[in-house]
Amino acid sequence: MNKLFGLALGILAAIGGFVDIGDLVFNTAAGATFGYQLAWVIPVGVLGIIVYSEMCGRVAAASGKAVFDAIRERVGFKAALGALVSSEVVNLMTLACEIGGVAIALQLLSGLPYRWLILLAVVGLVVIIWVTSFQWIERLFGYGGLCMLVFAVAAVKSSPDWAEVGKGFVPHIAQNNTTLYLYFVIGLLGAAMTPYEVYFYSSGGVEEEWGPKDIGMNRANAIVGYALGGTLSIALMIVGATVFLGHGISPEHLGTIALGAGDPLGKVGLLLAIVGILFAVGGASIDTVFAGAYNLAQFCGWEWGRYRHPSGAPRFALTWFVLLILAMGIVMTGVDPVVLTEYAVIFSVVALPLTYLPILLVANDRAYMGRYGNGRIANVLGVIYLVVILVISLSAIPLMILTNTGQN
Amino acid sequence: MLRVLVIAALAVLLVGCNGGTVDRQALTNDAATLDSIACEGALLAHNAARGKTTANFTREQAEELAIQASNLADALAKRPALASIEQRVRAKAKDAARVSATLHRLQDNPSDRDVAATVERQLASFGGCP
């Protein structure tokens, strides 16, 4: 019974915590630009993150090692350093976007000045991380993020043409503006398969002391949680198509996304959307900052852990604190978090192979994994996704330039 | 190989920048952006007129859109343009300034439903919103 309860809680937290600022920006913009035509990309991305998160969780359960520990041990110093630098740069960009997103959501609720709210957001995150147990952090942001379900209600209420939505799930290439279409394909995949998610997931598994008996729970959590979370991405795309494409709007602000729920559902829908965005990007801020601290600590062989008091892992604590300050500095320059999000997602796509290739290698290593190594299905899917990742990684920057970051 | 890639990337960037001159493609993009701002402002005003938003949300969102339109107006007024389209570019700058001013009215009166209804009509007309 306790296991079932734990699974239900984990799934609820995964739904609430699935969507981050990259998903918000790319799913809504894709709907506003191409209607439902890109819906097929969402299950492709969700399956990819399920495949690799399950592998990471299994590595953590079987070996007691998090992803970066394994990368350092198995692929050598130089390759691990490359993975570290790229992941830390992308993490920092993403963290800056999420903090900017928190400040914007607070501003839309309170009307207070943006820069003060950036400071308030960072101080709030530091206090929450410092004084709250991680279990409560997960619950707070996971359950708060469930307010994002308002977008699913808004999607239904906005009366989409469900036959057209269904056609969107058939993979195809758009005949009009193919370059921009491909840019969105890459952005949607990048947003769904952001590297920090697997780093955070596997380190969390180690901290919660998963063992082989938890492999089934890990698999169920990854499959059900991410799949249900993916429905939120579809809802955002539908809202983008029905509300924004229908009104000739190209959403370029976080507030516009909230307006997508407010238009069909009124003031309550609008407020729930803003609160949902606040918790979603707030939770993602914590995931991102911890992923950054985990990676550096694991690479350097420091003591690490969110369950430890900062005095028990001082360099780990200092790392997350410094990352928050650096991210705050970036947002304080006045850079638009939505624009920065697009760059962060595209650069994360470039770094994807450095994250996912070592995971596939380690999960296949019988000396490391024993009898819990990849089976045939995990390997076939893992290799297929690795090829997809390599292709989109090579195409990301050229497409970003050719489409002027999706503006053309 | 790396050098070739860097040079190719710089070439693509330079071509994309087009020296900062507004050509037909840039004008089409900027016009579409302005229409989008106006239509979003119209939708915001529509919801404000029906009591479907909060005053804080209307004020902040209208301000964001007004700033975006104002930046577009500045860019279109100052950037060099191809001689054949210069008049259209400068006219579009004036349109953008008008959209910005209209959005500022909504920002200053976020709870006034009559103002919101007027702003909605004006912005919908500016943007040719569907």
Side-chain angles (χ1 to χ4, degrees), chain A residues 126 129-130 289-290 292-294 296-297 302-306 308-325:
Chain A
V126 170
I129 292 172
W130 198 276
V289 75
F290 271 122
Y294 282 140
L296 186 63
W302 299 339
E303 289 290 324
W304 57 271
R306 65 197 187 201
R308 291 167 196 260
H309 188 270
S311 61
R315 284 178 289 196
F316 174 76
L318 184 65
T319 305
W320 64 250
F321 184 75
V322 168
L323 285 172
L324 279 173
I325 299 300

Side-chain angles (χ1 to χ4, degrees), chain A residues 109 250 252-253 256 263 401, chain B residues 12 29 36 40 52 56 68:
Chain A
L109 287 170
S250 169
E252 293 184 17
H253 307 279
T256 313
D263 186 52
I401 294 168
Chain B
V12 172
N29 285 343
S36 166
E40 184 179 338
K52 288 165 75 178
N56 281 336
Q68 195 186 356

Side-chain angles (χ1 to χ4, degrees), chain A residues 107-112 243-253 255-256 258-259 262-264 266-267 270-271 274 401-402 407-408, chain B residues 9 12-13 16 25 29 32-33 35-37 39-41 43-44 46-47 51-54 56-57 59-61 63-65 68 129-130:
Chain A
Q107 188 186 32
L108 293 172
L109 287 170
S110 68
L112 294 171
V243 179
F244 301 131
L245 183 59
H247 285 93
I249 297 167
S250 169
E252 293 184 17
H253 307 279
T256 313
L259 189 61
D263 186 52
K267 201 180 277 187
L270 177 74
L271 285 170
I274 301 172
I401 294 168
L402 287 171
Q407 298 299 306
N408 290 345
Chain B
V12 172
L13 272 175
Q25 177 66 38
N29 285 343
T33 302
D35 287 348
S36 166
I37 295 169
C39 291
E40 184 179 338
L43 181 64
L44 176 66
H46 171 86
N47 284 334
K52 288 165 75 178
T53 67
T54 64
N56 281 336
F57 180 83
R59 188 188 309 112
E60 298 302 330
Q61 196 61 12
E63 184 183 8
E64 278 294 314
L65 293 169
Q68 195 186 356
C129 312

Side-chain angles (χ1 to χ4, degrees), chain A residues 71-83:
Chain A
I71 289 177
R72 195 186 52 162
E73 283 182 23
R74 304 303 297 178
V75 303
F77 179 80
K78 276 188 184 170
L81 185 64

Side-chain angles (χ1 to χ4, degrees), chain A residues 168-358:
Chain A
F169 285 99
V170 179
H172 65 282
I173 299 289
Q175 299 304 309
N176 291 339
N177 216 341
T178 310
T179 316
L180 187 61
Y181 182 88
L182 293 174
Y183 171 76
F184 273 107
V185 169
I186 285 173
L188 290 169
L189 286 174
M193 298 182 70
T194 313
Y196 81 81
E197 288 179 5
V198 289
Y199 292 130
F200 181 77
Y201 188 78
S202 76
S203 299
V206 173
E207 293 225 56
E208 286 171 6
E209 298 178 343
W210 287 353
K213 65 176 171 34
D214 298 308
I215 285 177
M217 172 83 87
N218 155 56
R219 190 167 292 150
N221 248 333
I223 293 172
V224 183
Y226 281 122
L228 290 178
T231 57
L232 276 182
S233 296
I234 293 167
L236 285 167
M237 189 178 281
I238 291 175
V239 166
T242 51
V243 179
F244 301 131
L245 183 59
H247 285 93
I249 297 167
S250 169
E252 293 184 17
H253 307 279
L254 217 48
T256 313
I257 298 169
L259 189 61
D263 186 52
L265 298 175
K267 201 180 277 187
V268 174
L270 177 74
L271 285 170
L272 282 173
I274 301 172
V275 171
I277 290 172
L278 175 65
F279 278 101
V281 294
S285 303
I286 291 183
D287 294 359
T288 315
V289 75
F290 271 122
Y294 282 140
N295 290 353
L296 186 63
Q298 288 163 13
F299 179 82
C300 297
W302 299 339
E303 289 290 324
W304 57 271
R306 65 197 187 201
Y307 285 120
R308 291 167 196 260
H309 188 270
S311 61
R315 284 178 289 196
F316 174 76
L318 184 65
T319 305
W320 64 250
F321 184 75
V322 168
L323 285 172
L324 279 173
I325 299 300
L326 287 175
M328 183 177 74
I330 293 172
V331 196
M332 282 286 190
T333 61
V335 63
D336 182 345
V338 172
V339 174
L340 186 60
T341 298
E342 292 205 31
Y343 284 102
V345 169
I346 295 303
F347 284 120
S348 79
V349 169
V350 176
L352 280 179
L354 293 172
T355 301
Y356 288 110
L357 175 62

Side-chain angles (χ1 to χ4, degrees), chain A residues 18-151:
Chain A
F18 178 80
V19 171
D20 69 359
I21 195 164
D23 297 295
L24 283 167
V25 169
F26 267 98
N27 286 297
T28 316
T33 311
F34 287 102
Y36 316 114
Q37 288 191 64
L38 286 154
W40 64 272
V41 184
I42 295 173
V44 172
V46 168
L47 181 60
I49 192 73
I50 287 174
V51 167
Y52 277 93
S53 289
E54 190 279 330
M55 265 186 231
C56 285
R58 192 155 28 84
V59 170
S63 68
K65 302 260 169 93
V67 169
F68 232 93
D69 265 335
I71 289 177
R72 195 186 52 162
E73 283 182 23
R74 304 303 297 178
V75 303
F77 179 80
K78 276 188 184 170
L81 185 64
L84 176 74
V85 171
S86 61
S87 68
E88 292 297 77
V89 169
V90 171
N91 260 335
L92 186 59
M93 285 173 79
T94 311
L95 179 60
C97 303
E98 310 283 5
I99 288 172
V102 171
I104 290 172
L106 289 171
Q107 188 186 32
L108 293 172
L109 287 170
S110 68
L112 294 171
Y114 176 60
R115 282 198 162 78
W116 283 107
L117 291 170
I118 295 171
L119 186 63
L120 181 70
V122 171
V123 171
L125 288 170
V126 170
V127 170
I128 288 171
I129 292 172
W130 198 276
V131 304
T132 314
S133 77
F134 210 83
Q135 204 173 21
W136 277 104
I137 292 177
E138 270 180 346
R139 286 179 186 169
L140 174 70
F141 288 99
Y143 302 158
L146 286 175
C147 290
M148 290 292 292
L149 288 171
V150 73
F151 284 101

